Amino acid sequence: MKPRRLKLPALLLAVALLAGCRGRGPAGAEAAKAEKTEFMMDTVITITAYGPGAEEAVNAALAEMRRISALMNADDPESEVSRLNANAGKRPVKVSPETFYVLALAQRYSELSEGAFDVTVRPLVKLWGIGKKDKYVPAEEAVARARSLVNYRDLVLDEAAQTAYLERPGMGVDLGGVAKGYGADRAREVLREHGIRSALIDAGGNIWAIGSRPDGRPWRIGIRNPRPEHGGELLAVLPSEDLTLVTSGDYERYFIKDGVRYHHIFDPRTGRPARRAISATIVGQNSAEADVLSTAVFVLGPEKGLALIRRLGRLEAVVVTPDEKIVSTGNLEDRLEVVRREGGTGDAGR
Amino acid sequence: MTRGDKLILVLVLVVALGAFGFLALRRQAAPSPAVAQVVVEVDGKEVERFPLANLRAGERRRVRGPLGYSVIEGGENKVRMVSSPCPDKVCVARGWISAPGEAIVCVPNHVVVHVEGGAQKQGYDALTQ
């Protein structure tokens, strides 16, 4: 009987459909996930990737970041940057194309920010030793001496010879404000070469949101509230697809002495911790650039900082002022979900 | 339907329902436990995991990193780092954490303590800071 003979295949089909339809979202939503954390570049780096070959891709991306760290870490005596610093006032040093590129980028932004960010800030970093010395506030004349050794114009980059030279003894380059961003950019390239289209790179708070989440929705990237005791841990959330977010804040490395907060982001023009902002976040598509600019905007403060970002175009910024107001560039105002609880005391159990 | 048809039908149903159950169970074991968990990692490897509620207020646990012991302490459904053999004590200054996604990181001693799962919705995938 024909109608009867149909029942079984129909039932089979129904069962198959039922079983097949209980996945969430499109195919790939259940994609393989790989996540790895490593300590390098003086911070903690986590890469999460989704899709076929995710594990191999994450391993390769971390290896790439290790390679860049070895080139650019000023605290590693074997790095190219350390050789450049050791030869300050003596002779030009040949560097790899990548180190040359990052030095040139950092110098260009030193100029654009009129020295608010300065790639040669190392003498100040070493003098203060925030996070390495115990609540040490240097004397005025020591600060003045270190400050006189900070000047991005005295870094001579010779494109033809691929050399870098610091003109005066005692000078030093510090790529702490750019190497993590450059590393994240390179890690992103490696993930893409491995065919990964959905991933998150967290390089010590520098975020690369690659593609969208496995379920197809945009990644939700939180911006930390610089004062969690006022309104909780989270300042705002930005739905992000193929965006990098980098934040500079005065809460990352600091100490408080006699009621004054001393942190690790210096204003090269005063030689002291910058005071015009307490947090600055840059949103863009190049993490090295966003890394440098988060420092520059933090030092410049909301007015001049946001003006610089608008002048450059193609980037956005969110700044938290010392009185904890949130100011951002126009394009972000509609997209940014501010979640800080107003008037709350947060949950910082003191 | 012949007897053979029925047998096939029953078999198919059993297999299908079995697969259902298996998949459903496996999904529930996905990485968001209903109870908030404290996860302790050293050098990127998980060394300890326990429900946040199990850590009594004032109870301390030692975590061994390359520099020595970092010490975590429980509070009322929260956890903090009370001491660590690092120079900067950023991890100690971090204070209490309690919500999923919050973390205490001691870079010099390679220790990460974070909270996973729990009823609270995290609301974000990553945090720029």
Side-chain angles (χ1 to χ4, degrees), chain A residues 5 11-12 15 22 24 30 39 44 131 205 207 213 219-222 224 233-234 245-247 251-252 349, chain B residues 5 9 12 16 20 27 44 78 87-88 90 94 96 102 105-107 110-112 123-129:
Chain A
R5 298 297 304 162
L11 195 75
L12 282 180
V15 167
R22 52 180 323 287
R24 282 174 258 160
E30 292 290 321
F39 287 84
V44 59
I207 308 293
R213 291 189 338 192
W219 294 107
R220 294 179 57 78
I221 307 302
R224 178 172 164 180
E233 194 70 24
L234 204 56
L245 289 87
V246 181
T247 300
Y251 50 81
E252 294 169 271
Chain B
D5 277 351
L9 180 62
V12 165
F20 253 137
R27 283 234 172 72
K78 54 190 183 181
D88 52 19
V90 167
R94 177 76 171 81
W96 295 103
E102 291 188 339
V105 178
C106 180
V107 170
H110 297 193
V111 174
V112 178
Y124 60 86
D125 299 306
L127 187 68
T128 178
Q129 54 186 346

Side-chain angles (χ1 to χ4, degrees), chain A residues 14-97:
Chain A
V15 167
L17 278 175
L18 263 175
C21 284
R22 52 180 323 287
R24 282 174 258 160
E30 292 290 321
K33 171 186 175 183
E35 178 171 285
K36 269 203 165 165
T37 298
E38 239 180 75
F39 287 84
M40 65 173 108
M41 295 189 179
D42 208 17
T43 187
V44 59
I45 298 187
T46 303
I47 301 182
T48 314
Y50 296 84
E55 183 151 358
E56 201 181 317
V58 168
N59 287 337
L62 283 168
E64 180 70 0
M65 292 193 81
R66 269 195 304 274
R67 189 181 65 77
I68 288 151
S69 175
L71 290 174
M72 303 182 193
N73 181 355
D75 288 327
D76 170 3
E78 299 297 306
S79 73
E80 290 192 334
V81 166
S82 292
R83 277 199 301 122
L84 164 64
N85 292 344
N87 285 288
K90 294 178 194 163
R91 67 189 65 83
V93 169
K94 191 151 174 63
V95 293
S96 64

Side-chain angles (χ1 to χ4, degrees), chain B residues 10-108:
Chain B
V10 168
L11 272 174
V12 165
L13 279 173
V14 165
V15 169
L17 289 171
F20 253 137
F22 173 74
L23 282 171
L25 276 175
R26 214 182 49 168
R27 283 234 172 72
Q28 271 166 11
S32 194
V35 177
Q37 303 259 345
V38 176
V39 180
V40 181
E41 292 172 357
V42 177
D43 265 325
K45 290 186 192 63
E46 195 174 306
V47 294
E48 212 176 342
R49 171 189 289 260
F50 49 86
L52 182 56
N54 286 15
L55 197 63
R56 292 185 310 277
E59 186 186 339
R60 295 184 168 191
R61 300 196 185 194
R62 298 198 309 173
V63 183
R64 189 172 182 159
L67 296 182
Y69 289 103
S70 298
V71 181
I72 57 174
E73 182 185 61
E76 297 298 331
N77 253 324
K78 54 190 183 181
V79 63
R80 69 175 172 183
M81 188 85 86
V82 283
S83 71
S84 195
C86 54
D88 52 19
K89 310 292 181 212
V90 167
C91 50
V92 176
R94 177 76 171 81
W96 295 103
I97 61 167
S98 58
E102 291 188 339
I104 302 168
V105 178
C106 180
V107 170

Side-chain angles (χ1 to χ4, degrees), chain A:
Chain A
M1 299 273 300
K2 260 189 184 156
R4 274 199 191 167
R5 298 297 304 162
L6 266 177
K7 266 190 193 160
L8 183 55
L11 195 75
L12 282 180
L13 189 66
V15 167
L17 278 175
L18 263 175
C21 284
R22 52 180 323 287
R24 282 174 258 160
E30 292 290 321
K33 171 186 175 183
E35 178 171 285
K36 269 203 165 165
T37 298
E38 239 180 75
F39 287 84
M40 65 173 108
M41 295 189 179
D42 208 17
T43 187
V44 59
I45 298 187
T46 303
I47 301 182
T48 314
Y50 296 84
E55 183 151 358
E56 201 181 317
V58 168
N59 287 337
L62 283 168
E64 180 70 0
M65 292 193 81
R66 269 195 304 274
R67 189 181 65 77
I68 288 151
S69 175
L71 290 174
M72 303 182 193
N73 181 355
D75 288 327
D76 170 3
E78 299 297 306
S79 73
E80 290 192 334
V81 166
S82 292
R83 277 199 301 122
L84 164 64
N85 292 344
N87 285 288
K90 294 178 194 163
R91 67 189 65 83
V93 169
K94 191 151 174 63
V95 293
S96 64
E98 283 184 297
T99 302
F100 192 90
Y101 163 84
V102 172
L103 285 169
L105 179 133
Q107 188 175 44
R108 191 165 70 244
Y109 282 101
S110 304
E111 199 154 338
L112 277 170
S113 66
E114 291 166 5
F117 169 88
D118 193 312
V119 61
T120 63
V121 75
R122 187 159 173 83
L124 283 171
V125 173
K126 270 172 50 184
L127 172 68
W128 285 83
I130 306 264
K132 295 193 166 73
K133 299 179 185 177
D134 186 29
K135 296 198 179 189
Y136 167 73
V137 179
E140 183 56 52
E141 70 189 47
V143 171
R145 201 170 337 116
R147 206 183 59 210
S148 73
L149 289 168
V150 176
N151 191 338
Y152 63 90
R153 296 178 198 84
D154 297 343
L155 167 65
V156 182
L157 297 175
D158 183 335
E159 179 118 35
Q162 289 284 300
T163 58
Y165 174 50
L166 291 161
E167 288 194 311
R168 290 175 287 142
M171 287 187 71
V173 155
D174 190 315
L175 294 181
V178 57
K180 270 193 302 182
Y182 179 72
D185 285 333
R186 287 296 316 144
R188 173 188 179 226
E189 280 308 311
V190 169
L191 291 176
R192 291 197 338 182
E193 284 160 15
H194 279 74
I196 298 293
R197 286 196 294 274
S198 169
L200 274 179
I201 298 170
D202 180 345
N206 288 21
I207 308 293
W208 240 121
I210 298 164
S212 53
R213 291 189 338 192
D215 63 9
R217 291 201 296 263
W219 294 107
R220 294 179 57 78
I221 307 302
I223 299 175
R224 178 172 164 180
N225 180 2
R227 299 291 181 269
E229 61 273 25
H230 302 156
E233 194 70 24
L234 204 56
L235 184 80
V237 172
L238 184 70
S240 309
E241 288 185 63
D242 277 320
L243 285 178
T244 182
L245 289 87
V246 181
T247 300
S248 288
D250 66 0
Y251 50 81
E252 294 169 271
R253 288 176 197 184
Y254 71 95
F255 62 86
I256 291 177
K257 191 171 180 180
D258 304 328
V260 179
R261 180 184 290 245
Y262 297 92
H263 60 82
H264 71 302
I265 305 168
F266 303 104
D267 185 335
R269 298 158 306 185
T270 63
R272 301 179 167 278
R275 302 260 177 242
R276 288 189 179 82
I278 60 177
S279 153
T281 300
I282 306 295
V283 182
Q285 302 218 287
N286 177 318
S287 206
E289 174 188 64
D291 205 352
V292 168
L293 284 168
S294 71
T295 307
V297 170
F298 183 99
V299 173
L300 287 167
E303 218 168 297
K304 284 186 168 173
L306 293 188
L308 171 65
I309 295 301
R310 289 191 194 101
R311 207 164 58 237
L312 290 169
R314 81 187 188 290
L315 292 146
E316 307 288 342
V318 185
V319 178
V320 183
T321 65
D323 58 359
E324 298 183 42
K325 286 195 177 66
I326 304 171
V327 287
S328 63
T329 46
N331 291 342
L332 274 193
E333 274 172 16
D334 313 335
R335 288 157 45 206
L336 198 67
E337 304 166 18
V338 176
V339 295
R340 183 176 64 183
R341 297 193 300 277
E342 293 306 329
T345 50
D347 47 8
R350 302 218 172 281

